[in-house]
Amino acid sequence: MKKITVLVICFLITANLHSQILISILFGDKLNTDKMTFGLVLGPAWNNLTGYAESDAQTNFNLGIFLTFKLKERLFLQFDALAKYKLGAKGLPVYTLGDATLDSIYQHGSLQRSISYVGLNTSIQYRIWKYLNVEAGPVATLRTKAMDFLKADHELGEQVFEKDMKESTTLFDFGLATGTSWQFSKGKGLKLGVRYFWGLVDLYPADAGTNAARSFQVNLYIQIGGKKQTINGSNSNSK
């Protein structure tokens, strides 16, 4: 019953996030005002996990929608709904698979861990200079998929063994994120930002140490629709 409930929740959240992306494309003109900005957020991320003797950053691509409220002249509240969001690492030490043949193949290989989530990044943003913002806030996510990929070179080519790790990972992750961003077109156009996520949850409780997520992200915010800015004659001639 518990598994069915979790699956239903995951399905509803994923369906809701994807439907919001479609809504933003179809009705962007009505969802953007002087006090609110709505659109798509996307970009690459370099992820890692703590607590392992060796590890390398794993690159992923994140996708979601954002909603920004203007609270004051320089103060903003932003929500990033994360429809496609991954954490993990590669180059980790391999472990035994309990099979002599498989262990002989992968014992000198490497391990890649990938965890997929849906979630919400909430941030308070302050405009410190012109259109340069600083931000900080919590990130809460729900795991939808977790996989291990053991890889090894073999005389027949690279061998990959996939293992479902849902039962070995925590269902929820929580952490803090901080970053900075710059908005183009005098605060009305694209916004480009960088963000660092500091996970506070041990994602693999059965493993030694605290295996928490770390992620460096580059995000591009694309406003969907919105009224075009008009420029009168006096402004167009001014510099």
Side-chain angles (χ1 to χ4, degrees):
M1 183 62 183
K2 181 180 178 182
K3 290 184 178 180
I4 294 176
T5 302
V6 171
L7 288 174
V8 171
I9 293 174
C10 292
F11 173 77
L12 291 176
I13 292 177
T14 304
N16 182 54
L17 291 174
H18 283 85
S19 65
Q20 289 183 46
I21 293 176
L22 180 59
I23 290 172
S24 71
I25 295 174
L26 296 177
F27 304 105
D29 288 339
K30 299 183 182 297
L31 293 172
N32 285 283
T33 67
D34 292 338
K35 297 293 184 180
M36 182 176 72
T37 305
F38 193 80
L40 300 178
V41 54
L42 51 90
W46 291 264
N47 309 310
N48 217 323
L49 294 169
T50 66
Y52 293 100
E54 56 185 49
S55 66
D56 296 318
Q58 174 181 260
T59 304
N60 294 112
F61 188 84
N62 297 328
L63 174 66
I65 58 176
F66 74 92
L67 180 62
T68 306
F69 293 97
K70 185 176 182 180
L71 304 180
K72 294 183 179 180
E73 186 62 30
R74 291 179 175 270
L75 187 65
F76 304 84
L77 174 64
Q78 181 168 298
F79 300 98
D80 293 5
L82 310 169
K84 183 180 182 295
Y85 185 73
K86 286 189 176 184
L87 296 172
K90 65 179 183 179
L92 300 169
V94 298
Y95 52 80
T96 179
L97 295 170
D99 182 280
T101 301
L102 291 176
D103 287 341
S104 66
I105 296 174
Y106 295 102
Q107 63 180 340
H108 299 300
S110 64
L111 168 64
Q112 177 181 340
R113 291 194 145 162
S114 180
I115 316 174
S116 300
Y117 295 92
V118 293
L120 184 67
N121 186 116
T122 304
S123 61
I124 289 292
Q125 303 184 356
Y126 186 76
R127 186 158 289 173
I128 58 174
W129 177 72
K130 291 190 176 180
Y131 306 106
L132 178 65
N133 311 302
V134 292
E135 64 174 70
V139 183
T141 56
L142 171 67
R143 184 209 66 221
T144 58
K145 186 178 181 181
M147 296 293 296
D148 274 4
F149 302 91
L150 282 82
K151 302 180 180 181
D153 293 328
H154 192 267
E155 59 183 9
L156 299 178
E158 184 182 51
Q159 301 296 301
V160 180
F161 181 86
E162 300 182 9
K163 183 178 180 181
D164 191 330
M165 296 295 290
K166 264 192 174 184
E167 299 300 324
S168 301
T169 58
T170 55
L171 180 59
F172 296 97
D173 188 24
F174 180 81
L176 302 174
T178 184
T180 184
S181 63
W182 177 271
Q183 190 158 12
F184 299 92
S185 301
K186 297 183 177 180
K188 302 293 184 181
L190 297 174
K191 184 166 70 172
L192 181 64
V194 294
R195 177 182 291 161
Y196 186 78
F197 170 72
W198 185 282
L200 301 176
V201 177
D202 188 351
L203 301 180
Y204 295 88
D207 288 6
T210 301
N211 311 127
R214 300 289 184 264
S215 180
F216 177 77
Q217 305 160 8
V218 177
N219 296 317
L220 179 64
Y221 296 88
I222 306 173
Q223 180 177 327
I224 303 298
K227 295 182 179 179
K228 296 184 180 297
Q229 301 295 314
T230 58
I231 303 177
N232 58 37
S234 60
N235 287 339
S236 62
N237 292 328
S238 62
K239 301 290 184 181

